[in-house]
Amino acid sequence: MSIRTFRFLSQHVFFLILTFGGRLGVSLGPSLPCLSCPYVVGCGGICYLRFLQSPMGGLGMNWAVLSSGRGLAALAALGLFIALVALLGQSWCGWTCPFGLVQDYAARLRNKLRIREAIFTERTMAFIKTLKYVCFGYLVSTPVLITLGAAHPDLSLPYCAICPVKLIMPLLTGDTTYLNLDFTNPVLLTTSVVLMIFSGLVLVGMFFKTRFFCLLCPMSVLIGLFRPLYLLRVLKRPQACLGCGNCRRVCPADIDKTTPAIDPGSNCNPALVKPVTLSTSGCQGCFNCAQCCATDGSLAIKYGPWAIFNSSRRYAARFLKGRTAFFKALKGPGDRL
Amino acid sequence: MDWVGKSGSPSAPHAEAGARASARREKIASQMAQDAAGEIARLRARADFVEQYSYFLDLLADRPDKRLAAIGKPVAAFLCQVAPLELIEAHGLHPFRLMGGHQAAERLSSPSLPAVMCPMLRSLLGSMMSLDQGPELAGLIMPTMCDWTVKFGSLSELCGLKLPAKLHLMDPPRVKNSPQTSDRWLKETWRLNDFLTAISGRKIGPKELSKAIRVYRQAFMALSDLIDLKRQSKLPQIWFTVITAAFYLDQVQNWTQAARAVWLAVGDQALVGPGSVQTDFKNASAAGVNLGPPDLSGRRNQAKKVFLAGSPIFFPNFKTLLLVEQAGLETVIDDFCSSERLLPGPVAVSDESFYGLMTALSQRYQLGCLCPTFADHYQVVNNITNLFDHPLFQGVIFHVLKGCHLFDLKSLAVEPNVKGLGIKFLRLETDYSREDRDTLLTRLEAFAGTL
Amino acid sequence: MISIGIDLGSTAIKVALVDEGQLKWCRQTPTAPGQERLAGELIDQALGDLELSSSDIGAAAATGYGKRLFVSASATVDEISANALGLHRLSGGRGRVIINIGGQDLKVIRLDENGRIVDFRMNDKCAAGTGRFFEQVARILDTRLEKFGELASGPDEPVELNSTCAVFAESEIVSLLARGATAASVIKGFHRSVARRVAALVGQAASDIVDGELWLDGGPSQDPGLRAALEDELLCPVSVLPAPQYTVAFGAALYAAQSPIKA
């Protein structure tokens, strides 16, 4: 079975659990490093960003509160989140995120219709990538400002209020609650208008650009803070790379490090070249790159100290040949097909 | 195996000279046929001959013009595999690579050509001159990878050769890894699409192109499996070269099937494991440096293994391959665009629109090409030294065809890098003549002694 | 146990008899049709001189371009390996670079301290700088090769030979002589031209060579003028064995002694 098949199954299983699991009593807690939206009725786990804004954000700078039971519970949730990130790294995005799967289907539809994927120039891309840091900053700072009295209390869930996932995921389950403007006060009206615009942009964006929302996702910023802890990651041996560009083409995050420039002084002595990690900002841990690499040992998926997958011509030839006959093809000639 | 063309018809006042020229042409043509038949007979007589090789030998034995007519599709000839084969295939054309491996053919063309010149192109021009009537060709696609191909048109004029089809030149950027140059090659690929649309009269879309890509992915898988057999000393380089030399002589699906048949016949109980999905915890060190495919050393016999690099080798000139064998060396890897690098590798696509497919093809063919025409040489070195900590081979033999400046220069760039790793390196400079067999063999034997 | 090395070269056939690693006998005869017979005659001659019978011969190895013609040899070895073996022993293990001037080729072999070949280069299908070139010049000048050294030691200024090609050098020498150049100055110019060609083949390797490491080898290296010209060109000391034409045959005999004997 190919890694892609595993991932495909994992995405669907997680989608079902995280979207409908609550109806069967499943709850994976409030520390999930993926966009499992609590606004979906009957969700099976909660996105940690929600917890980070409130109650965690609401604790403010008050040490008394922080050291109380509420504070300790918040720290435990944070600890769990960090542990989960360490365990699966960025693969939370590629393997579990329900909204990620929705975006993948949008891309699939685009491909079925043979419509071109949008290409952003480097400058546009750089601009878009700064937006997720802006979102993250807004998400983290607003609750603190509220406790200091510097922001309107209706902004207690500042990011959730404008998060497109909050609108789109419930819609997928037939819930139109959030598809309206909130005229209660100017603050709520503004946030609901922003929500509409943002969601509209993302809906269009994710159709024309694979995993468009991931470029803006504050969760990827938060996960990225713990990069040194990742156990699961993709490494590249630049001294094995033939520069064919397969990995870069299949990367949903367009990570340019997939063909890193090689220092001519060291590339020729393999002992001097250190493996480069590809699990950088924006990586979704999907492992498309490692599977499409047709060069023996150029890309590797590692878990802790162990390489659990090495790229090879043999694997890539079968992987890219297509889904049909994949099982058969993996067996050697000894099996006589 | 070569090519087929029409040479300029003699004008009336020179009818007698024309008759002489035509007699000369026939003589050379029969010499070429004899050389090919002789080589095939010797190959058939080898102890390691397997019936499954017959398909390929039969293709090579056919007269090239008859062979191409029998393919059953209009043929678009090309030189150098940076022109995406899939694109040609998608237009309903059969891509046929122009090759020149006959020494005899050089005798026809060399009087009109520079003394120091790529023997492959000299032989190709000679082969084209040796036939006065070739099959219909839909087009001639020439990526100008080297100085000789840039001047292909004027060289054929020098030889008095009238090209049998419209010549479409492509201009490859010689610098890789820059978005601007990749864009340029993409534009050239679109231009090729226009040319192919014009000559085939068929406007294609993403469906046709996807289908062609699938067909070539299957061919690559068949090729890749044969490469694995070679790595494991189950398929000798000479037979591998026969198989790849026949690649363009039949529809790709038929070739793929025949290659699978060889895989099943030769590779019995061969590789149920190495290099596949299964993972190898032991081999991967914590530092992550040793992440190669699993070790194959247990399967190896005693012959000294070499990596054969450099200028491609074309049927029927297998001199170098045979001498390497004779010196007691076994080729387990090569990087010839005529053998292992026949196809650039499977094309990974994420955007399945026509534009996306064209981009993917254009990038794969340009970036994945190891031709020395490109400025960056690290990929060629990487390809050789990639598995340095896996004792797959003990030495590198770099084959340089005299007159091929690119491979000559490349060998100079590669040599210190390979030697720096403690891998033995031999530069073998030769041409299509047979006279230097003894000196080459001396070198190869001495080289074998140093391994 | 006696072992024999037969070097079937393009110009001469050389035979060496070796006992316990020591050279016992060596002789050469010009190459002519019937090489196996000529070599056989030399061996018979050796056995007669040393008062041995053919049953005393333990092994025989053939080398050189005609090695496959001598079918009765128990082994064949390429001339580069034989040269390395022979010179390593004869130089007392000090040799690191061998410049072999053969009848029709030019070889530069680099050795490590154990006599293993590190690297080698050969000239390519060209007579310039080879034994053939020496013979040709001797013929034009109507002088015996052995006298080259003597003539070159004179005070004459060397002429400048523009052609490195053996074929063009012939006409150039003829016209130089017609313009009054002396044979001695032509030989000096010729030595320099060969030395340049050899130096180009040696390349970088010569830069850090100390005395006793670089050896000139093969028939033409008996010419002391060439050695002097080479030292000038390479800027390092060049050593020559007393009988440099037999190194390869000697090496082949050593090879025969160590290789398993065919029944």
Side-chain angles (χ1 to χ4, degrees):
Chain A
M1 191 144 73
S2 71
I3 295 175
R4 176 172 60 188
T5 315
F6 268 122
R7 175 169 164 247
F8 184 81
L9 290 175
S10 159
Q11 281 185 299
H12 286 79
V13 167
F14 271 96
F15 182 89
L16 291 175
I17 293 176
L18 296 178
T19 314
F20 303 110
R23 301 178 189 198
L24 301 170
V26 179
S27 175
L28 299 182
S31 293
L32 289 179
C34 66
L35 304 182
S36 173
C37 187
Y39 293 90
V40 174
V41 178
C43 68
I46 297 172
C47 165
Y48 182 68
L49 291 177
R50 165 70 176 75
F51 190 89
L52 187 65
Q53 297 165 78
S54 172
M56 181 124 177
L59 297 178
M61 296 299 170
N62 190 334
W63 288 108
V65 179
L66 272 177
S67 55
S68 71
R70 265 174 73 207
L72 289 177
L75 283 176
L78 175 64
L80 180 60
F81 173 79
I82 295 173
L84 290 174
V85 169
L87 221 55
L88 286 183
Q90 288 156 315
S91 289
W92 285 102
C93 305
W95 289 60
T96 70
C97 182
F99 194 60
L101 183 66
V102 172
Q103 293 185 79
D104 285 350
Y105 270 105
R108 213 171 251 239
L109 176 65
R110 181 193 69 230
N111 269 336
K112 272 272 177 295
L113 299 173
R114 306 281 186 180
I115 293 171
R116 237 180 99 166
E117 185 178 1
I119 297 173
F120 295 144
T121 61
E122 274 174 49
R123 277 174 67 185
T124 316
M125 201 62 164
F127 171 71
I128 292 175
K129 278 182 177 171
T130 56
L131 288 178
K132 68 180 175 188
Y133 296 100
V134 173
C135 287
F136 184 71
Y138 171 66
L139 183 156
V140 181
S141 62
T142 315
V144 179
L145 292 177
I146 294 173
T147 58
L148 298 174
H152 195 281
D154 277 351
L155 289 175
S156 67
L157 287 170
Y159 185 72
C160 284
I162 58 164
C163 178
V165 180
K166 170 192 174 184
L167 182 69
I168 297 167
M169 289 305 290
L171 266 181
L172 280 177
T173 61
D175 179 359
T176 55
T177 317
Y178 306 100
L179 190 62
N180 53 38
L181 296 178
D182 188 341
F183 291 97
T184 318
N185 61 36
V187 173
L188 291 176
L189 180 61
T190 314
T191 53
S192 61
V193 168
V194 172
L195 173 66
M196 293 296 156
I197 296 171
F198 197 3
S199 303
L201 277 176
V202 166
L203 274 174
V204 176
M206 71 191 204
F207 180 75
F208 287 103
K209 173 91 187 152
T210 304
R211 291 250 178 172
F212 174 73
F213 180 71
C214 297
L215 296 172
L216 308 165
C217 180
M219 180 64 92
S220 81
V221 179
L222 188 60
I223 292 177
L225 292 177
F226 305 102
R227 185 169 308 141
L229 303 179
Y230 297 164
L231 289 170
L232 185 60
R233 64 229 187 270
V234 184
L235 291 177
K236 178 188 195 95
R237 288 170 66 224
Q239 69 269 37
C241 179
L242 300 188
C244 76
N246 264 2
C247 55
R248 192 192 335 217
R249 242 184 341 270
V250 296
C251 180
D254 294 342
I255 293 178
D256 50 2
K257 265 197 166 176
T258 44
T259 41
I262 289 174
D263 172 16
S266 63
N267 73 312
C268 300
N269 186 348
L272 295 181
V273 184
K274 291 257 154 45
V276 180
T277 180
L278 298 185
S279 301
T280 53
S281 170
C283 173
Q284 294 147 20
C286 67
F287 308 131
N288 280 351
C289 50
Q291 295 179 85
C292 288
C293 175
T295 309
D296 291 336
S298 179
L299 293 180
I301 303 172
K302 290 188 82 179
Y303 197 83
W306 303 289
I308 55 174
F309 177 84
N310 287 315
S311 65
S312 71
R313 169 173 39 73
R314 189 173 151 75
Y315 181 93
R318 281 165 172 67
F319 176 69
L320 287 169
K321 192 180 141 261
R323 269 147 268 174
T324 51
F326 191 87
F327 288 91
K328 274 202 249 170
L330 268 184
K331 295 177 183 167
D335 301 285
R336 298 248 167 210
L337 292 181
Chain B
M1 166 74 19
D2 315 81
W3 163 241
V4 174
K6 307 168 201 170
S7 56
S9 50
S11 56
H14 304 298
E16 199 183 318
R20 274 205 303 276
S22 147
R24 186 169 157 73
R25 209 161 49 212
E26 269 164 36
K27 197 177 155 199
I28 297 283
S30 80
Q31 178 67 48
M32 284 165 61
Q34 213 177 317
D35 287 351
E39 194 61 52
I40 287 170
R42 277 191 292 280
L43 285 165
R44 275 194 194 277
R46 282 171 66 105
D48 55 6
F49 174 79
V50 177
E51 193 40 46
Q52 278 75 7
Y53 297 147
S54 281
Y55 165 81
F56 305 98
L57 288 178
D58 291 345
L59 290 182
L60 291 168
D62 264 4
R63 241 184 66 182
D65 47 348
K66 287 194 184 142
R67 182 64 242 148
L68 289 189
I71 285 176
K73 266 184 175 184
V75 173
F78 70 97
L79 197 78
C80 294
Q81 288 112 320
V82 285
L85 302 176
E86 289 89 337
L87 190 56
I88 301 174
E89 184 81 31
H91 279 273
L93 300 166
H94 176 73
F96 171 73
R97 180 177 175 169
L98 297 167
M99 291 172 266
H102 281 279
Q103 193 201 351
E106 290 185 80
R107 284 165 55 200
L108 268 184
S109 55
S110 55
S112 324
L113 295 171
V116 178
M117 181 185 164
C118 165
M120 200 288 265
L121 263 155
R122 195 159 50 200
S123 167
L124 170 62
L125 286 165
S127 306
M128 291 171 92
M129 291 163 77
S130 75
L131 295 152
D132 53 1
Q133 194 69 47
E136 287 302 311
L137 258 199
L140 236 158
I141 300 153
M142 182 89 42
T144 55
M145 296 295 276
C146 65
D147 294 356
W148 302 114
T149 49
V150 175
K151 295 295 173 199
F152 187 77
S154 51
L155 289 172
S156 58
E157 261 172 46
L158 276 176
C159 296
L161 179 76
K162 191 174 166 294
L163 291 178
K166 202 171 166 233
L167 186 64
H168 175 81
L169 295 177
M170 294 175 83
D171 182 22
R174 291 186 164 187
V175 177
K176 290 187 197 173
N177 282 339
S178 134
Q180 284 84 356
T181 57
S182 289
D183 280 355
R184 244 184 70 205
W185 185 243
L186 177 60
K187 282 186 185 136
E188 280 293 307
T189 311
W190 279 108
R191 207 165 65 84
L192 175 65
N193 185 47
D194 294 343
F195 174 74
L196 291 170
T197 308
I199 61 171
S200 68
R202 195 190 284 198
K203 198 167 159 49
I204 60 157
K207 286 216 175 77
E208 290 84 356
L209 199 49
S210 293
K211 193 173 160 233
I213 288 175
R214 275 200 299 279
V215 166
Y216 275 84
R217 280 175 177 165
Q218 281 169 1
F220 181 78
M221 192 177 115
L223 180 73
S224 165
D225 287 339
L226 295 183
I227 292 174
D228 282 333
L229 289 185
K230 201 172 83 172
R231 298 274 192 278
Q232 296 166 332
S233 307
K234 294 211 154 81
L235 180 63
Q237 172 77 16
I238 190 101
W239 287 115
F240 185 81
T241 312
V242 165
I243 293 168
T244 53
F247 183 75
Y248 299 103
L249 299 176
D250 197 356
Q251 296 213 13
V252 62
Q253 292 93 336
N254 299 344
W255 180 91
T256 307
Q257 225 166 15
R260 298 308 282 172
V262 170
W263 184 58
L264 289 173
V266 179
D268 212 354
Q269 342 129 16
L271 33 99
V272 194
S276 67
V277 215
Q278 63 51 281
T279 53
D280 203 343
F281 285 81
K282 271 186 229 151
N283 267 358
S285 80
V289 183
N290 281 326
L291 307 179
D295 186 22
L296 306 173
S297 52
R299 295 163 192 267
R300 243 160 258 143
N301 59 32
Q302 289 304 304
K304 306 251 172 73
K305 308 287 163 61
V306 291
F307 188 124
L308 208 51
S311 309
I313 285 176
F314 297 104
F315 180 82
N317 196 323
F318 289 167
K319 176 179 76 175
T320 309
L321 298 179
L322 292 167
L323 288 173
V324 169
E325 267 190 3
Q326 210 179 327
L329 296 169
E330 187 193 332
T331 309
V332 288
I333 313 188
D334 72 67
D335 72 356
F336 297 146
C337 60
S338 55
S339 298
E340 269 190 39
R341 314 241 3 129
L342 180 73
L343 294 168
V347 183
V349 180
S350 67
D351 177 1
E352 290 168 34
S353 66
F354 194 47
Y355 180 88
L357 295 171
M358 286 290 280
T359 312
L361 279 175
S362 141
Q363 288 182 358
R364 189 70 179 90
Y365 274 78
Q366 188 226 353
L367 298 175
C369 179
L370 295 187
C371 181
T373 198
F374 294 105
D376 333 26
H377 73 273
Y378 79 86
Q379 289 138 327
V380 178
V381 177
N382 279 359
N383 192 38
I384 295 176
T385 59
N386 175 14
L387 303 173
F388 81 106
D389 49 356
H390 291 269
L392 207 56
F393 60 91
Q394 285 121 43
V396 176
I397 297 174
F398 203 103
H399 171 242
V400 178
L401 278 181
K402 258 184 216 141
C404 179
H405 315 312
L406 292 170
F407 278 107
D408 203 348
L409 289 167
K410 179 72 70 181
S411 83
L412 298 179
V414 167
E415 183 170 353
N417 293 308
V418 171
K419 282 185 173 170
L421 286 173
I423 301 171
K424 298 280 182 187
F425 184 94
L426 176 74
R427 186 188 130 94
L428 207 62
E429 191 172 332
T430 180
D431 51 24
Y432 282 2
S433 66
R434 290 167 200 274
E435 291 84 57
D436 59 352
R437 291 172 54 101
D438 279 341
T439 57
L440 293 181
L441 188 58
T442 302
R443 283 170 218 216
L444 287 166
E445 283 175 344
F447 183 66
T450 65
L451 297 178
Chain C
M1 187 65 82
I2 300 281
S3 61
I4 302 183
I6 306 118
D7 177 8
L8 299 132
S10 59
T11 314
I13 297 169
K14 280 86 62 176
V15 168
L17 265 74
V18 170
D19 189 11
E20 302 297 332
Q22 296 302 312
L23 183 63
K24 289 292 172 208
W25 188 92
C26 58
R27 196 155 297 172
Q28 63 177 354
T29 181
T31 301
Q35 295 187 40
E36 184 166 25
R37 178 180 52 78
L38 288 171
E41 282 170 13
L42 274 180
I43 293 171
D44 289 342
Q45 205 180 331
L47 294 177
D49 287 357
L50 297 175
E51 297 176 351
L52 295 167
S53 76
S54 56
S55 60
D56 294 319
I57 304 171
T63 184
Y65 286 117
K67 58 178 173 279
R68 278 170 200 84
L69 299 172
F70 194 80
V71 289
S72 43
S74 58
T76 58
V77 57
D78 64 274
E79 44 274 45
I80 296 171
S81 305
N83 200 340
L85 264 175
L87 195 117
H88 179 69
R89 180 70 61 88
L90 293 174
S91 70
R94 285 185 303 153
R96 292 291 176 276
V97 180
I98 309 171
I99 298 169
N100 182 303
I101 302 183
Q104 61 178 20
D105 63 17
L106 204 58
K107 306 182 195 80
V108 174
I109 307 166
R110 286 176 55 217
L111 305 176
D112 65 9
E113 62 276 12
N114 300 314
R116 277 195 301 261
I117 298 169
V118 178
D119 195 7
F120 61 88
R121 291 183 197 176
M122 277 170 88
N123 75 335
D124 203 60
K125 279 211 282 187
C126 174
T130 68
R132 197 69 84 224
F133 197 12
F134 278 79
E135 284 168 21
Q136 191 190 4
V137 173
R139 188 169 44 75
I140 302 164
L141 296 176
D142 200 16
T143 314
R144 286 186 22 247
L145 264 174
E146 294 76 35
K147 292 189 71 181
F148 271 31
E150 190 188 315
L151 283 167
S153 62
D156 304 60
E157 275 300 303
V159 297
E160 198 63 45
L161 281 182
N162 294 315
S163 312
T164 43
C165 170
V167 176
F168 290 120
E170 172 161 3
S171 53
E172 197 179 345
I173 292 172
V174 169
S175 68
L176 278 167
L177 290 173
R179 273 185 275 144
T182 62
S185 62
V186 168
I187 289 171
K188 274 192 156 174
F190 162 71
H191 279 151
R192 193 199 267 174
S193 133
V194 172
R196 280 186 185 152
R197 175 131 189 123
V198 172
L201 201 62
V202 175
Q204 300 287 317
S207 53
D208 49 354
I209 283 169
V210 297
D211 196 15
E213 286 191 346
L214 187 136
W215 293 78
L216 189 58
D217 196 15
S221 52
Q222 296 165 81
D223 180 348
L226 174 64
R227 177 184 168 183
L230 255 181
E231 287 189 331
D232 275 357
E233 210 56 54
L234 291 170
L235 301 171
C236 73
V238 174
S239 318
V240 185
L241 291 167
Q245 67 271 45
Y246 294 111
T247 325
V248 177
F250 175 67
L254 293 179
Y255 179 84
Q258 20 173 279
S259 60
I261 295 157
K262 251 196 286 186

